[in-house]
Amino acid sequence: MTTTALGDATVSELRETLRGTAIVPGDADYDAARAVWNGMHDKRPAIIVRCAGTADVINAVRFARSQGLTVAVRGGGHSIPGFSTVDDGIVIDLSPMKGVRVDPVARTARAEGGVTWHDFDHETQAFGLAVTGGLISTTGIAGFTLGGGLGHLARTHGLTCDNLIGADVVTADGNLEHASAEENPDLFWALRGGGGNFGIVTSFEYQLHPHGPMVYGGPIFYAGDKTEELLALYQDWSASRPREVNSLVALTTAPPLPFLPQDVHGKPIAIVAGCYGGPMEDGEQHYKALKEFGPPIADLLGPMPYVALQSLLDPLWGPGIANYFRSGFFSRLGPDVTATVRSFLDRRPAGVVSEFHVHHMGGAVDEVPAEVSAYSGRGAPYVWNILTRWANPADADENITWARDLGAALEPFSTGQSYVNFIGDAERVRSAYPPATYARLADVKRRYDPENVFHLNQNVVPAEDHA
Ligand SMILES: Cc1cc2nc3c(=O)[nH]c(=O)nc-3n(C[C@H](O)[C@H](O)[C@H](O)COP(=O)(O)OP(=O)(O)OC[C@H]3O[C@@H](n4cnc5c(N)ncnc54)[C@H](O)[C@@H]3O)c2cc1C
């Protein structure tokens, strides 16, 4: 029996306008349909529209507005602050929209808003092509691209949003706009880093690059007591790398994976992971210093299929567990930075895992002029990200406080900006943009969504209309 506040007749009318489905409380698939990746967010929408195509998205937006429903938009459902679900509102869920069309001659791909990196890489790797994508393949391309997009190929080919060449967008009034360098260039600028503020993107068009199917990449695992030495080496080594050399460091505890000896499971470890953006056979020479750093616990850095690298860590980042992330951009590394991080890692909160990542930036990311897109993290040599996961709700406060305190302790070494896609607290959105960029975003928002219909995101408040 349906318990929706919308009324059966209203829901039936909507269903007649859809090729996809509309799910309401009481339906057998309601609980599965309302679940999002971050288990911290357990919301009960009034209705979930699982869209089969752009027409469904348009009809869902018009329906939402006619009913005065709060709108949540879902692509891959991996929002850390839980923006892709809502209590008592409508979830416009694009996850059934999985089409990907690759043009191997032009080296472009057009992908629908529900595509994940697993789907995308599967299609593009058939042609040995790729774009910068996520480190966990279950993440959606939609939220990921709109916030910027950091991945293994960023130094070589730029952020994901730097490779966006066009987008179809359903705006707040239920119309469809195309955004590209030529059409609606202001909207196109905002979509590349401004998040989901400006409308619902039903398809993304990307420039692709030759990469794979076999690449030189993967992680090397070192014991946690090597952290200081490894980070010192990493600082010098990374600073002198060409743009083809992509890498990151993760300080964590050893997961129970079969290639890690049982006696290290649960103990602190330091991982350095790479992905060479040039020809596979040239990769090894560039990572030599990391390979020769010392006896590793395990060394998987070498030739491997790109799709294997992209999904290597998926089993550790499954859905349903509570998560909190906090991020920033380092202006530098150094022994004081390492000591600060180490002091927090030595008193991890209770929970599933608490870890710290450093992503090497620069290269192609910094070659894009700042004014070309709304993304605002260019010029910083490293991104840092604190990730903490817990299964017992009683551990939430301890985990969140630990991550916030570590974030605050890193401010002296940071640029003061945040990366929107890693922000765990919605109120930090202003820290993602310099004031002039935020003002320009607010102006674009005023033109495309003056009533802030799309506010469940890293929200940019529409500028006041002085016309
Ligand atoms: C396990 C994990 C790994 C991650 N790894 C990386 C990484 O390697 N690099 C990186 O840069 N980031 C990474 N992220 C962060 C990720 O980029 C963001 O969480 C991103 O928002 C996820 O997009 P989504 O479509 O899956 O999420 P959703 O929850 O569906 O959406 C996120 C936001 O985008 C909006 N949105 C979704 N679809 C659309 C659409 N079609 N049109 C308009 N707005 C839309 C939503 O309303 C919401 O505000 C990771 C996150 C997780 C949880």
Side-chain angles (χ1 to χ4, degrees), residues 81-140:
F83 288 137
S84 43
T85 186
V86 60
D87 276 329
D88 302 322
I90 181 170
V91 176
I92 302 180
D93 181 0
L94 279 71
S95 61
M97 294 172 57
K98 295 242 180 263
V100 182
R101 181 184 186 275
V102 180
D103 180 339
V105 177
R107 292 181 177 161
T108 58
R110 187 185 290 276
E112 288 187 299
V115 165
T116 63
W117 285 111
H118 168 269
D119 307 325
F120 190 88
D121 290 341
H122 180 80
E123 295 298 332
T124 58
Q125 281 293 285
F127 306 96
L129 296 170
V131 76
T132 305
L135 304 182
I136 305 296
S137 79
T138 54
T139 316

Side-chain angles (χ1 to χ4, degrees), residues 155 234 237-239 241 245 247-248 358-362 381-383:
R155 281 178 48 80
Y234 186 71
W237 172 84
S238 57
R241 290 304 96 187
V245 177
S247 65
L248 63 90
V358 180
H359 301 250
H360 187 207
M361 301 309 292
Y382 304 95
V383 170

Side-chain angles (χ1 to χ4, degrees), residues 35-70:
V36 289
W37 179 83
N38 189 352
M40 219 174 139
H41 309 290
D42 181 19
K43 302 270 170 76
R44 301 189 67 80
I47 188 161
I48 301 157
V49 178
R50 305 197 76 230
C51 301
T54 298
D56 284 358
V57 175
I58 291 172
N59 290 335
V61 169
R62 291 185 177 158
F63 175 80
R65 301 216 53 190
S66 72
Q67 299 296 318
L69 291 168
T70 303

Side-chain angles (χ1 to χ4, degrees), residues 152-157 209-212 214-217 242-247 274-280 282-283 286-287 306 309:
H152 283 309
L153 295 176
R155 281 178 48 80
T156 313
H157 297 302
H209 307 273
H211 185 69
M214 288 296 288
V215 300
Y216 188 88
R243 57 188 271 168
E244 286 78 15
V245 177
N246 299 278
S247 65
C275 179
Y276 187 66
M280 182 184 77
D282 296 348
H286 293 283
Y287 292 90
Y306 180 60
L309 176 63

